[in-house]
Amino acid sequence: MTDFERKIRADFPLIESSRCVYLDNGATTQKPECVLTEINRYYETMNANPMRGLYELSVEATEAYENARTVTANFINAEDPREIIFTRNATESLNLVAYSYGAHALKPGDEVIVSVAEHHSNFLPWVEASKRTGAKVVFFDCAPDGSFDLDELKKLVNTHTKVLAVNAVSNVTGQKNDIAAMADIIHEAGGVIVVDGSQSVPHESTDVQVLKADFLAFSGHKMYAPMGIGVLYGRKELLDAMPPFLYGGEMIETVSKERVTYAEVPHKFEAGTVNAGGALGLKAAVEYITKVGFDKITAKERELVKTAVEGMKEIPHVNIIGGENPDDHHGIVSFIIDGVHPHDVSEIFASENIALRAGHHCAEPLHRHLKVMSTTRMSVGMYNTCGEIEQFLDVLKSIRARMGYKDDRQYFLQ
Amino acid sequence: MTGNTFYNEIINEHNLKPYHKRAVEGANFTLEGVNPSCGDDIVLELKVEDGIIVDGGFTGDGCAISQASADIMLDLIIGKSQEEAIRLSDIFLRMIKGSITDEEKEELEEAGILESVSHMPARVKCAVLGWRTMRELFGRTD
Ligand SMILES: Cc1ncc(COP(=O)(O)O)c(C=O)c1O
C-alpha cells in the first residue's frame, strides 16, 4: 500500500474495519470519520429547528445550515449561495427542476432533449413533465462507445427546444461529456441545460460557471457525505422565475386565507423542516475532499481505472462497455462476460468479498441502445487501492472456469 | 481465494447445456415468466395429456440460477401428474424459504441442490422463476 492509500483508508472507519473490497462507489460511498463526527456534533451541540426559533440554539442551527450552503456554493463555484437548494438527493433535485422549470417554461409543442445515457432520475421526471405540459421528449443517442457527437446535438435542436437533460459522467460507461460545448449549443437555441452531476462532482473539481450549467444536480451520499442530503444548483434568475415544488412550512413570506407570498430562493424550494445534520455532514465532506485535493483524488482514481481497464483487456471473453481508452472511464468500468449473466458475475465477486453492482443501473434506455440486457459495474473511490484492483482482476479471470466453461486459456484460483 | 459459491458442476451443466431449453411441439400450456430484478425472462411450455405432463421445455434468457432451476424442474416434473408437480413445487418453494425435512428434500432430487439459495435473498426470485411460472400455468397464483 502507498502512503496515500494508507492515510486515506485510515480516515474511513468502515473501510478500515471491513474485509469487503468496496468497488460500488457509483452507488454510494463510505463516510470518513470527520463527516460522522460533524453530524454528531450538530445533534449534540446545536440541534434546533433551523429558521424557526428565535432562541440561541435555533439561531446557531440556522447559521450552521446556511454556512453549509455557502461552503457548497464555493465548492462548485456558484456565484451566490442562494443558488444552492438542499434536497434529499439527486433524484429529488432533478424532479424539482423538471416539475418547477417544466411548469414555468414548457408548453405544448416544446421539446426536451434527453440523452439516451441518462439515469432514470434525469429521464422519467422529463417524461412526466412533458405529459403534464404537452411537450415532447426527444432522445439524443450516443455512439456504441457511449460518446456523444455534438453535430448530432446541433441537428436535434430547433426553435421548440427548451431543455437538454444530460449527465456530466455516465453511471454506466463512465464517459465524460463536454458539458460546456453542449451548453453553448442549447443556449444558442434559447434552451437551458440540466446537468446530472451525480457521478462527476465526487470525482473531479466542478465549476458551474466553466460548465455553463443552468442547473446541476448531485447527491451527498456519493461524495462521502451522509444519505438524505442532495443539492440542486440553479442559476438565480431561473430559480426566481420558477414556482415552488413542495408547499408547506418555511417556504412562505406571508399567508392569509386569501393570499400567499412565497419566500425568496432558496427557501422557496425548501419546504418543511430541513436536513441540517445532513447539510453539515455534506459541508464536512466538501472540506475533507478539499483537504485531500481533487488533483490527488482524480489522479489516484485514474490510476485505479487504468490498472483495471488494462488488466481487463487482457482477459478473454471480458467486454468493456464504453470506450477502449482507460481515460474514457471516469471512475466507472462496466463490463459483460461472454456466456455469464451479470448477476452470476456479481454473485461470484460477492463470495470473494468484492462488492460490485449488476443490472441495468437504472439506465434502461442506454442498455437497450447498446443492446446489452444488463452489465456488471465496478466503480472506484479515493480509498481504493491498486491491490484491490488486482484482487478484482484475479477473480474476474476465474469466472468463466467457475461457471463450467472449458476455455483455451484456463485460469484457476489458488 | 476462499469464495464458496454454489455454482457447482450440476448447476453449471444445467445452465450451459440445458436439456429442456427448446420449444415444445403441441404444447397446450404456455406462459412467460419475468424476473425484473435480474432481467430473467423465460417462456415455459408444457404439453399435458389426461392430467399428465408428457413433455415440457423453456426458452428465453436469464442468469445461471434461473436457467438451471427451470431445467432441473422440468427433469423432475415431466412424466408426473399436474397435482404432483404442484405438490413438488410446494416443497421447493418451502425449501427456498428454509423449512423442509430431509425426506422432502429427497423427493426434489437434483432440485435439492438449490437449497443454499435460501441464504441468498437477492437470488430467490431467480431460483423460483420456473416453478412459479409452472404453478401459474396451472392456475395457482399464490
Ligand atoms: C448518474 C446518476 N444520476 C442519478 C442518480 C440517483 O442518485 P440518488 O439515488 O442519490 O438520487 C444516480 C445514482 O444512483 C446516478 O448514478
Side-chain angles (χ1 to χ4, degrees):
Chain A
M1 240 185 256
T2 64
D3 281 349
F4 178 83
E5 290 174 348
R6 202 169 298 115
K7 211 167 133 269
I8 295 292
R9 290 173 80 81
D11 290 336
F12 288 81
L14 188 140
I15 293 289
E16 277 290 271
S17 66
S18 167
R19 284 175 54 229
C20 175
V21 172
Y22 189 76
L23 291 171
D24 194 15
N25 294 283
T28 197
T29 53
Q30 303 306 336
K31 321 303 172 199
E33 185 93 55
C34 59
V35 165
L36 304 173
T37 310
E38 182 66 8
I39 299 167
N40 251 340
R41 190 176 75 89
Y42 172 77
Y43 285 109
E44 283 174 0
T45 67
M46 328 175 214
N47 180 51
N49 204 321
M51 264 92 64
R52 298 203 179 170
L54 292 177
Y55 46 90
E56 197 179 323
L57 262 187
S58 176
V59 171
E60 256 181 59
T62 308
E63 275 171 12
Y65 180 70
E66 291 304 326
N67 175 244
R69 195 189 305 280
T70 304
V71 168
T72 308
N74 293 339
F75 180 59
I76 59 169
N77 199 28
E79 258 178 66
D80 185 328
R82 290 173 293 178
E83 297 181 313
I84 301 294
I85 297 160
F86 284 127
T87 61
R88 279 189 306 137
N89 48 39
T91 302
E92 186 176 307
S93 301
L94 292 164
N95 272 275
L96 193 165
V97 191
Y99 185 89
S100 297
Y101 190 75
H104 163 69
L106 295 179
K107 55 181 194 313
D110 283 345
E111 294 182 2
V112 175
I113 302 177
V114 177
S115 107
V116 73
E118 290 321 288
H119 187 282
H120 294 167
S121 296
N122 200 20
F123 166 47
L124 297 179
W126 296 110
V127 171
E128 293 304 319
S130 300
K131 275 193 211 156
R132 280 191 300 271
T133 58
K136 173 171 106 182
V137 168
V138 179
F139 270 116
F140 178 19
D141 284 340
C142 61
D145 69 357
S147 64
F148 286 92
D149 181 348
L150 295 176
D151 288 331
E152 285 303 310
L153 180 60
K154 284 181 193 150
K155 282 186 217 154
L156 288 179
V157 288
N158 58 46
T159 51
H160 304 291
T161 306
K162 289 287 148 61
V163 173
L164 169 63
V166 65
N167 60 56
V169 166
S170 156
N171 69 320
V172 178
T173 61
Q175 172 82 39
K176 181 171 157 180
N177 288 319
D178 187 347
I179 295 298
M182 291 181 179
D184 284 341
I185 295 170
I186 203 77
H187 288 154
E188 185 144 335
V192 299
I193 186 165
V194 178
V195 182
D196 179 352
S198 301
Q199 299 294 350
S200 64
V201 174
H203 303 289
E204 57 183 42
S205 86
T206 298
D207 181 328
V208 287
Q209 298 184 47
V210 170
L211 291 178
K212 305 178 194 169
D214 298 296
F215 296 97
L216 174 78
F218 55 100
S219 285
H221 72 93
K222 292 183 200 286
M223 52 176 286
Y224 314 103
M227 293 184 179
I229 188 79
V231 174
L232 174 67
Y233 157 83
R235 264 181 34 227
K236 180 137 184 315
E237 63 265 37
L238 297 175
L239 294 176
D240 282 339
M242 286 156 53
F245 175 45
L246 301 172
Y247 294 82
E250 241 35 87
M251 47 82 67
I252 42 91
E253 207 55 60
T254 56
V255 190
S256 67
K257 275 190 182 159
E258 295 77 32
R259 210 162 50 111
V260 357
T261 313
Y262 294 112
E264 299 279 305
V265 293
H267 301 112
K268 175 167 84 175
F269 294 109
E270 293 182 354
T273 296
V274 299
N275 181 0
L280 265 79
L282 177 65
K283 181 206 72 171
V286 165
E287 287 167 349
Y288 180 75
I289 289 172
T290 310
K291 192 182 91 193
V292 176
F294 264 129
D295 50 338
K296 297 217 180 63
I297 295 171
T298 309
K300 177 73 209 174
E301 293 180 352
R302 223 176 237 195
E303 179 194 3
L304 296 169
V305 166
K306 187 159 187 276
T307 310
V309 169
E310 283 173 355
M312 290 165 83
K313 281 193 186 165
E314 296 292 308
I315 307 174
H317 301 289
V318 170
N319 310 286
I320 294 174
I321 307 294
E324 280 277 305
N325 194 322
D327 286 340
D328 293 336
H329 297 270
H330 293 81
I332 288 171
V333 189
S334 296
F335 58 95
I336 49 178
I337 301 180
D338 296 333
V340 187
H341 191 281
H343 277 89
D344 297 318
V345 174
S346 66
E347 186 78 52
I348 291 175
F349 275 106
S351 74
E352 298 287 357
N353 270 315
I354 299 178
L356 303 180
R357 169 93 189 267
H360 49 61
H361 316 297
C362 303
E364 280 202 57
L366 179 64
H367 280 78
R368 275 174 215 274
H369 181 67
L370 298 177
K371 299 190 174 61
V372 288
M373 264 198 340
S374 58
T375 56
T376 308
R377 176 182 78 185
M378 81 105 190
S379 48
V380 300
M382 67 165 95
Y383 38 64
N384 288 122
T385 68
C386 290
E388 288 180 318
I389 300 296
E390 296 298 340
Q391 267 174 275
F392 159 79
L393 291 170
D394 281 345
V395 174
L396 187 61
K397 282 176 197 162
S398 76
I399 287 181
R400 290 237 331 158
R402 289 201 212 196
M403 293 303 291
Y405 286 98
K406 311 244 181 301
D407 293 336
D408 304 342
R409 261 167 82 193
Q410 284 271 25
Y411 293 93
F412 291 100
L413 292 171
Q414 293 80 35
Chain B
M1 301 239 167
T2 52
N4 230 334
T5 53
F6 82 135
Y7 296 101
N8 57 31
E9 257 167 65
I10 301 175
I11 302 254
N12 287 344
E13 192 67 20
H14 280 284
N15 176 42
L16 294 183
K17 298 185 200 120
Y19 185 74
H20 300 287
K21 191 156 183 178
R22 61 190 175 85
V24 176
E25 213 174 299
N28 46 3
F29 286 85
T30 300
L31 188 68
E32 182 176 17
V34 180
N35 164 19
S37 67
C38 260
D40 306 326
D41 187 345
I42 63 167
V43 174
L44 183 66
E45 296 186 317
L46 298 177
K47 187 174 171 188
V48 182
E49 284 173 0
D50 302 327
I52 304 291
I53 302 164
V54 294
D55 197 6
F58 72 102
T59 51
D61 290 299
C63 66
I65 299 180
S66 70
Q67 303 292 292
S69 183
D71 201 50
I72 290 172
M73 175 190 81
L74 286 161
D75 269 351
L76 186 67
I77 65 169
I78 291 173
K80 302 219 165 74
S81 69
Q82 237 171 280
E83 293 72 36
E84 179 64 0
I86 295 283
R87 194 184 67 81
L88 290 166
S89 70
D90 285 336
I91 301 178
F92 183 84
L93 294 180
R94 270 193 291 112
M95 175 180 83
I96 299 296
K97 287 193 192 124
S99 63
I100 56 164
T101 63
D102 286 350
E103 293 78 54
E104 285 179 318
K105 189 170 164 189
E106 204 112 297
E107 284 197 76
L108 290 180
E109 300 176 16
E110 259 186 0
I113 57 164
L114 286 157
E115 189 176 14
S116 39
V117 171
S118 60
H119 308 296
M120 303 157 61
R123 306 310 294 280
V124 165
K125 283 193 183 132
C126 318
V128 302
L129 179 64
W131 303 77
R132 283 217 177 278
T133 309
M134 184 264 286
R135 289 168 72 86
E136 223 178 307
L137 268 182
F138 295 144
R140 296 290 198 97
T141 48
D142 47 347

